[in-house]
Amino acid sequence: MGIKEGDTAYLNLDWSVVPIIPKYVDLLIGEMLNEDLKIVGFARQDMSDDQFRRLMGDGVREFADLAVRTDEWDAFAKSLSYVQGDLEQPEDFLRLGRHLAAVEAGGTGANRLYYLSVAPRFFSATVANLQTSGLAETEGGWRRVVIEKPFGRDLKSARSLNSVVHQAFDESQVYRIDHYLGKETVQNLLVLRFGNTIFEPVWNRNYVDNVQITAAEEVTVGDRAGYYDQSGVVRDMVQNHLLQLLTMVAMEPPNAMDADSLRNHKVEVLRAIRRWTPEEATRATVLGQYRGYLEENGVESQSVTPTYAALRLYVDNWRWQGVPFYLRTGKSMADKVTEIVIQFRCPPHMMFASGGGGALDPNLLSLCLQPDEGLHLRFGVKVPGEGMVMGTKDLEFHYASAFKEQAIPEAYERLLQDALEGDASLFIRSDHIEEAWRIVEPIIDSKENSINQPQRYEPGSWGPPAADALLAETANSWWQVCGEHGSAHA
Ligand code: BG6
C-alpha cells in the first residue's frame, strides 16, 4: 500500500457506511491495509464506539457474502470509532477534529481520507465544514476527499459544487467516484485496446459501423424510489456510467497509464460529442418508464421520471466521424447485462450464401462487463457440408474459466485502495464531470420541457419499441451477444 508504515488514514462516513463497509471488508481485513488504519464514522445518530462496531459487524454479516472469522473481525473492529455529528453544523466538525487528533495520539503527519458517502444534498455543506473547521489543512500528512455520485444535478449545480470543493481542496486531492471505473472488465478495455496490436488498426470509422453500449438491469427502483424519482435514468446512469464507458471505447491512446494522460484523453472524447438542442435531443433519444413505476412506494403519482433511456451520439473527430454510438440503460428490463458491442462493417462484396437464409451477421466484438465477464468475437465460418454456405460463430474468452483461481475484486475495493495510494486515474476530474453534464442536459431539458415524455414499457422487456426504431434509422438493430453463446438480436 501507499500508506507508509506508521501513517494513519481516516475514513469519515455518514449513514451509508453500513452497506459500504462490507464492500471493503475484504480489503480492510485482508493483508492490503496496514494496522494503523483507523476508521471513524460520523453521522447524526447517537451511538457509542461499541454500538458502531456492532452495527458494522451486523452490516458485514447481512450485506457481505463473506466468511469473516470472529477473531479477524474483533481485531479489525478495534480500528473503528464513532463521532455523533450533523454534516451541516460547523461545531460538530470541530468535535470531529478533536476526536481525530485524539485517535492520532496528538501526532502530526497522519494522512486522512474523507469519504463523503452521504446524500448528495450534503456534499457542499460537508466540504465547506471540513474547510472551516481546519480539517482540510494538511498538517504534514495528506488530505484527500472521496465524493460519491451524483456530482451535481446539472451543469450549473456541478460547477457550483466544484467551486465549493476547490475552495477547500486542490483538484489533485479530490477523488470523485464512479464505481464503473473500478470494475475489472472496464479496465480491461484499456488493456484490450492498448495492450494488443490487432484491435487498434480497425478501431475507427473505416471499419466500425456502430458501437452499442447497454447497461440493462432486471431490478426495479425498489426502495430507492425516493432518490430515483428525483433523478431518473439520465442522471443516475447515463451522465456517469454510460458516458464513462463511451470515453473508454472512443479515446485516443494515452502515452502512459497515469491519471493526467488518461483523463485528458477521456475529456477530449466528451468535448468531441456533438451538441444537441433539446429538439435534436428528442429525435436522438428514447425515454421510457416501466409499467408499474407509478405504483412504487415513494414515486409521485404523475411522475414523468424516465427509468429507461436509449440515445444516439456522434463523436465528431477524425477517428469516429459518422459512426453512431448507441447507449441504452434501464430498470425492470429482460436481463441484467452490461455489454459493449463493436459492430464492424460488412465486407464490401459477399460471395457466399447465408446459412440461415437471412442476411449475414457482421463481425462483432462484444465486451461483456457483467455478469459473464469476458469477450466474444463473432466471425463468419463455412457451414460444414452444405456447399459454400456461411454461418457465424463466436470466439469466446471468459474471466471465470480463464482465471479460475482469482476472484474478480469488488469495484469499490479497487477504488478505495487507489484513493489511499493517491492514484486518481480511475476517478473523475472536474472538467469531465462538467462536460458530461453539458452532453446530457439537452435530454433533461427536453424531458422537463415536456417535448420528450417517457413511453411506457413492459417490465421484463427490452424497453419501448421506439428504441428499436431509433437504430432502424441507421439500418441497425440492438445486439445482445454477452451471455447468449450464440447469435441474437435483442
Ligand atoms: C448505480 C445506480 O450508480 O449503479 C443504480 O445509482 C444502478 O441505480 C447501479 O442500479 C448499477 O450498478 P451495477 O454495478 O450493478 O451495474
Side-chain angles (χ1 to χ4, degrees):
M1 290 297 302
I3 306 179
K4 297 190 303 295
E5 203 55 38
D7 282 354
T8 311
Y10 295 91
L11 306 176
N12 296 288
L13 307 132
D14 194 15
W15 248 144
S16 36
V17 72
V18 180
I20 291 288
I21 287 273
K23 283 187 178 154
Y24 299 140
V25 86
D26 240 358
L27 171 73
L28 296 167
I29 292 185
E31 299 300 309
M32 298 155 104
L33 298 182
N34 74 44
E35 290 173 357
D36 291 329
L37 181 95
K38 303 277 189 279
I39 298 175
V40 179
F42 179 66
R44 228 178 339 220
Q45 195 189 346
D46 202 8
M47 70 180 132
S48 66
D49 288 346
D50 277 343
Q51 283 169 319
F52 179 60
R53 290 176 187 132
R54 268 199 301 280
L55 188 72
M56 293 303 107
D58 292 347
V60 167
R61 279 180 283 279
E62 186 181 339
F63 289 97
D65 184 20
L66 294 166
V68 179
R69 292 204 331 252
T70 312
D71 57 335
E72 278 181 336
W73 174 258
D74 289 347
F76 169 68
K78 289 198 190 107
S79 66
L80 301 173
S81 62
Y82 184 78
V83 177
Q84 187 280 331
D86 186 327
L87 295 167
E88 293 179 304
Q89 292 303 325
E91 329 64 90
D92 291 358
F93 282 73
L94 295 174
R95 262 192 308 112
L96 173 64
R98 287 195 290 276
H99 178 86
L100 295 181
V103 181
E104 285 169 355
T108 53
N111 300 315
R112 293 180 190 164
L113 180 69
Y114 300 113
Y115 188 158
L116 273 56
S117 177
V118 305
R121 66 179 186 282
F122 295 120
F123 287 162
S124 271
T126 309
V127 171
N129 283 332
L130 283 172
Q131 185 194 14
T132 50
S133 58
L135 293 178
E137 280 155 31
T138 51
E139 294 168 9
W142 51 250
R143 302 287 179 265
R144 295 181 191 137
V145 60
V146 176
I147 305 182
E148 270 291 344
K149 66 164 261 281
F151 195 94
R153 279 186 61 74
D154 49 26
L155 179 58
K156 189 162 165 249
S157 54
R159 271 194 185 141
S160 93
L161 183 53
N162 269 333
S163 102
V164 172
V165 168
H166 288 152
Q167 277 162 36
F169 297 97
D170 183 74
E171 178 62 24
S172 63
Q173 298 172 281
V174 184
Y175 291 69
R176 297 174 194 77
I177 273 201
D178 181 318
H179 79 279
Y180 264 51
L181 291 177
K183 290 182 192 282
E184 199 77 1
T185 41
V186 173
Q187 293 158 46
N188 183 47
L189 242 167
L190 297 174
V191 177
L192 182 92
R193 288 194 55 197
F194 307 129
N196 294 292
T197 47
I198 59 170
F199 297 110
E200 205 47 29
V202 294
W203 211 266
N204 56 54
R205 65 189 302 275
N206 299 324
Y207 294 92
V208 175
D209 183 275
N210 70 89
V211 176
Q212 301 180 11
I213 302 178
T214 297
E217 295 185 273
E218 281 178 278
V219 292
T220 62
V221 296
D223 56 11
R224 295 173 73 229
Y227 146 78
Y228 194 91
D229 200 40
Q230 300 304 312
S231 300
V233 70
V234 178
R235 292 186 171 99
D236 187 54
M237 291 291 290
V238 179
Q239 186 270 347
N240 38 67
H241 307 324
L242 266 69
L243 286 180
Q244 282 293 344
L245 297 181
L246 186 153
T247 58
M248 308 272 279
V249 173
M251 70 194 278
E252 293 302 315
N255 66 330
M257 182 60 209
D258 64 54
D260 278 346
S261 313
L262 217 58
R263 299 191 299 177
N264 286 345
H265 284 81
K266 284 167 63 184
V267 174
E268 279 301 307
V269 174
L270 295 184
R271 292 205 179 108
I273 290 180
R274 196 175 298 168
R275 299 283 176 261
W276 289 320
T277 60
E279 291 71 26
E280 285 163 344
T282 306
R283 281 197 294 277
T285 314
V286 174
L287 298 178
Q289 189 186 76
Y290 63 82
R291 206 172 286 287
Y293 175 74
L294 295 179
E295 282 79 62
E296 299 276 12
N297 219 349
V299 169
E300 285 173 22
S301 58
Q302 305 290 315
S303 173
V304 288
T305 298
T307 61
Y308 173 96
L311 45 149
R312 181 175 56 225
L313 295 168
Y314 286 97
V315 180
D316 283 336
N317 62 16
W318 191 287
R319 186 188 283 265
W320 294 115
Q321 188 56 241
V323 177
F325 282 74
Y326 288 104
L327 276 46
R328 67 173 166 170
T329 180
K331 302 270 185 211
S332 197
M333 292 181 64
D335 206 354
K336 163 81 183 168
V337 60
T338 309
E339 174 176 26
I340 299 171
V341 178
I342 316 289
Q343 178 178 333
F344 293 94
R345 291 188 188 285
C346 288
H349 171 64
M350 185 48 72
M351 313 188 290
F352 311 114
S354 143
L360 283 169
D361 284 352
N363 291 134
L364 302 175
L365 177 65
S366 152
L367 308 164
C368 309
L369 305 184
Q370 58 186 8
D372 180 15
E373 291 92 348
L375 60 88
H376 292 224
L377 179 62
R378 182 160 301 171
F379 60 102
V381 289
K382 180 183 177 305
V383 177
E386 302 179 28
M388 286 308 278
V389 171
M390 188 172 139
T392 53
K393 288 289 171 208
D394 288 3
L395 264 177
E396 294 180 29
F397 158 77
H398 297 280
Y399 267 91
S401 49
F403 294 99
K404 281 199 196 72
E405 310 303 323
Q406 283 139 283
I408 297 186
E410 263 278 346
Y412 275 100
E413 218 177 290
R414 163 72 197 255
L415 293 173
L416 177 65
Q417 194 183 347
D418 283 1
L420 288 169
E421 288 182 349
D423 181 353
S425 310
L426 300 176
F427 293 84
I428 311 161
R429 218 166 51 186
S430 56
D431 49 351
H432 183 118
I433 285 275
E434 293 182 12
E435 282 299 328
W437 278 120
R438 214 192 304 276
I439 291 162
V440 300
E441 249 187 7
I443 312 177
I444 295 171
D445 290 349
S446 70
K447 193 213 107 200
E448 285 167 7
N449 292 343
S450 321
I451 56 173
N452 196 5
Q453 294 296 305
Q455 307 176 23
R456 293 269 178 282
Y457 62 96
E458 293 306 318
S461 72
W462 283 101
D468 297 335
L470 182 71
L471 268 75
E473 287 171 19
T474 54
N476 295 121
S477 48
W478 293 106
W479 294 101
Q480 190 202 348
V481 183
C482 183
E484 277 290 329
H485 306 274
S487 94
H489 276 88

